[in-house]
Amino acid sequence: MFDDVPHAREALAAHFDPPRLERVVSALVPAIVFAPVPGAAVLGGSRIGGAPDMGPGAEWPRPAAAEDPEAIAKRGSPDAGKEMLEHFARNLPYAFFAQVDLGEAARLGPVASALPSEGRLLFFYDVSIGPWDTGSRVARVIWDKTPADQLARLAPPADLKEAADADRAERVKLAQEFDDDVEAARKGGSAYDAPGRPMRLQTTLRLPSVASIEVSALPEIFEAARSVTGGENEALEAYEAAIEENHDGYTDEKWRRQQLLGAPQPEQDDPRYDAVVVTTFGKQHLEREEWRSRRAEIEAAARDWTLLLQADVGDWMQARFTEGTVFFVIRKDDLAARRFDRVVAVYQQT
C-alpha cells in the first residue's frame, strides 16, 4: 500500500523513467480504505455490512415510491423485471452497506477534511433495483450525530429479514445444486443483508484509474488510454502494470475495493459521468451521438462531483459469484453543505 509519497515513489520507480515518475507521483490521489479488524463490532465504529448504530426512535429507512416501476422493470430481462416488480410491491427497506465513524476519519488528517468530523455516515442501498436505476432514490446516506452513549444497534425490520432469509435459502439451494460451498452460502449475505465486519480506516495514495477523470493529470497516459486498445502502448502498459502490482492488491483481496473519498476505480467509465447524465438530462443513458456531442459539457460537469463511497457488492455480501460495484457520488457543494440526501448511486459491472 502507498502509505506516503516516498514509498509511492520507490514502488513506482521500476515502471517509469525519472521525469515521468515525478509526474505520476504528483498525480497520486489520497483516499481512505477499510482494513478488517478482529473481534466484535464496536458500537458507533466503522463497519461493512451488519446493522447501523443510531439514536432512540430511529427507523431503518425505506426507498420512496418509484414514479414508474414498470418503466424501471423493463430495463432488465423479463425475469429480472418480474423480480423488480415484486420487490417494488413489497416496499422493502434498503440494505445496509456501511457505517463510517467520522471521528475516526477526522483523525486521519487532511484526507478526510471534506467530511464532517463528528457522528457517523450510514450508507444504505437498494441492491434489487439499483443496477437498473441510477439516481438518488436507490440510495440513502444518513449523517447521524447521536452521542455515542445514546447509540443502539438497530434490528432489521421483519420484512427485510424475511426477504434476506428467503434469498439466502435460494443461494444455499443453488450451491447444493452446483456442488458449491453450501456452508459459505449459509453464512454469506443476500440482496438484503450482509455479515457485519468491523473495520479500521486508513489512508492511502492511489494511482487514478485510466477510466477516472483524475488520470488527466497524466496527459500522455490519458491520451494513450483514449486512443489505444489492446494494451499495445508501452506507457499505458507500464501504468497498468504499476496499478496491478501496487494498487493494494484489490484483484486478490476484494475488501480493498471498498474506498472512502479519492478517485473512483471504475469497472466501466467514470461513474460521475452517469451522475451528470441522470441529474442533468433526466435519462439513464444518452444515445451515442448525443453523448459525443455533449461530451465536453459532461466531462466539465463531472468535475463538480466527488466520490463519497465505493463499495464492492461481492465483498459486502460475502457471497461467491456476486459482482458489481456501487459508487455513492455527490456534488462537491452538496457535500460541503452536508446535503447527503442528494447523493447519487451508480452501479457498474464488467
Side-chain angles (χ1 to χ4, degrees):
M1 177 176 293
F2 296 141
D3 291 320
D4 53 40
V5 171
H7 289 161
R9 185 178 287 109
E10 180 181 354
L12 293 168
H15 299 281
F16 299 96
D17 57 43
R20 192 165 53 181
L21 172 63
E22 293 309 311
R23 292 199 296 275
V24 171
V25 169
S26 69
L28 292 171
V29 181
I32 298 172
V33 291
F34 298 76
V37 295
V42 176
L43 201 64
S46 299
R47 75 176 62 99
I48 300 292
D53 300 331
M54 299 182 74
E59 295 185 1
W60 199 291
R62 297 173 186 263
E67 292 184 6
D68 193 345
E70 294 280 352
I72 296 172
K74 288 178 181 177
R75 296 170 190 163
S77 66
D79 287 344
K82 179 182 177 183
E83 291 177 1
M84 280 190 273
L85 289 175
E86 292 172 351
H87 179 83
F88 280 127
R90 297 176 70 183
N91 186 34
L92 291 169
Y94 290 102
F96 174 68
F97 259 53
Q99 176 171 293
V100 174
D101 178 353
L102 293 168
E104 179 188 10
R107 290 190 290 274
L108 296 177
V111 66
S113 61
L115 298 175
S117 59
E118 61 174 334
R120 291 145 301 282
L121 281 184
L122 310 174
F123 293 84
F124 298 85
Y125 184 65
D126 190 342
V127 182
S128 297
I129 305 299
W132 290 273
D133 193 29
T134 295
S136 293
R137 198 198 69 84
V138 295
R140 181 74 60 84
V141 177
I142 297 173
W143 178 22
D144 184 89
K145 294 176 280 185
T146 304
D149 60 358
Q150 297 179 27
L151 288 173
R153 192 148 301 158
L154 266 64
D159 54 350
L160 183 67
K161 186 178 185 306
E162 179 184 353
D165 289 344
D167 188 64
R168 195 161 17 254
E170 185 63 28
R171 292 173 185 273
V172 169
K173 181 179 176 181
L174 288 172
Q176 292 169 334
E177 181 179 344
F178 291 98
D179 197 25
D180 196 16
D181 191 336
V182 175
E183 190 60 25
R186 284 199 181 96
K187 292 181 178 179
S190 71
Y192 304 97
D193 69 353
R197 290 171 295 155
M199 294 282 170
R200 173 173 57 85
L201 303 180
Q202 58 187 46
T203 60
T204 188
L205 290 171
R206 289 192 147 173
L207 288 164
S209 163
V210 294
S212 72
I213 58 179
E214 282 80 7
V215 80
S216 61
L218 303 170
E220 70 276 22
I221 297 173
F222 180 61
E223 290 307 317
R226 292 184 111 182
S227 61
V228 177
T229 58
E232 298 149 358
N233 182 277
E234 186 175 326
L236 183 57
E237 286 182 349
Y239 180 69
E240 290 176 338
I243 291 178
E244 181 71 16
E245 184 172 325
N246 298 302
H247 202 290
D248 295 344
Y250 71 72
T251 54
D252 297 319
E253 299 179 67
K254 289 167 64 178
W255 64 266
R256 296 184 187 273
R257 286 278 292 164
Q258 320 285 7
Q259 177 182 313
L260 188 69
L261 304 175
Q265 307 296 314
E267 295 200 40
Q268 298 167 11
D269 214 340
D270 194 303
R272 289 167 288 188
Y273 296 154
D274 296 285
V276 171
V277 169
V278 76
T279 56
T280 302
F281 302 97
K283 301 177 182 179
Q284 291 289 302
H285 307 284
L286 297 183
E287 296 297 330
R288 182 174 298 179
E289 287 307 314
E290 186 175 9
W291 169 260
R292 285 176 177 172
S293 67
R294 299 281 195 146
R295 181 174 191 120
E297 175 186 349
I298 293 169
E299 289 182 347
R303 296 182 180 279
D304 294 332
W305 291 74
T306 189
L307 175 70
L308 191 56
L309 178 74
Q310 172 181 299
D312 182 285
V313 178
D315 177 68
W316 166 77
M317 193 181 292
Q318 291 293 282
R320 289 165 58 85
F321 311 118
T322 301
E323 299 179 313
T325 304
V326 181
F327 302 89
F328 296 81
V329 298
I330 187 172
R331 287 188 179 90
K332 294 174 182 177
D333 59 354
D334 286 330
L335 177 56
R338 311 314 189 204
R339 295 188 288 254
F340 293 106
D341 58 312
R342 300 188 182 183
V343 166
V344 166
V346 178
Y347 173 90
Q348 292 183 356
Q349 181 177 327
T350 53

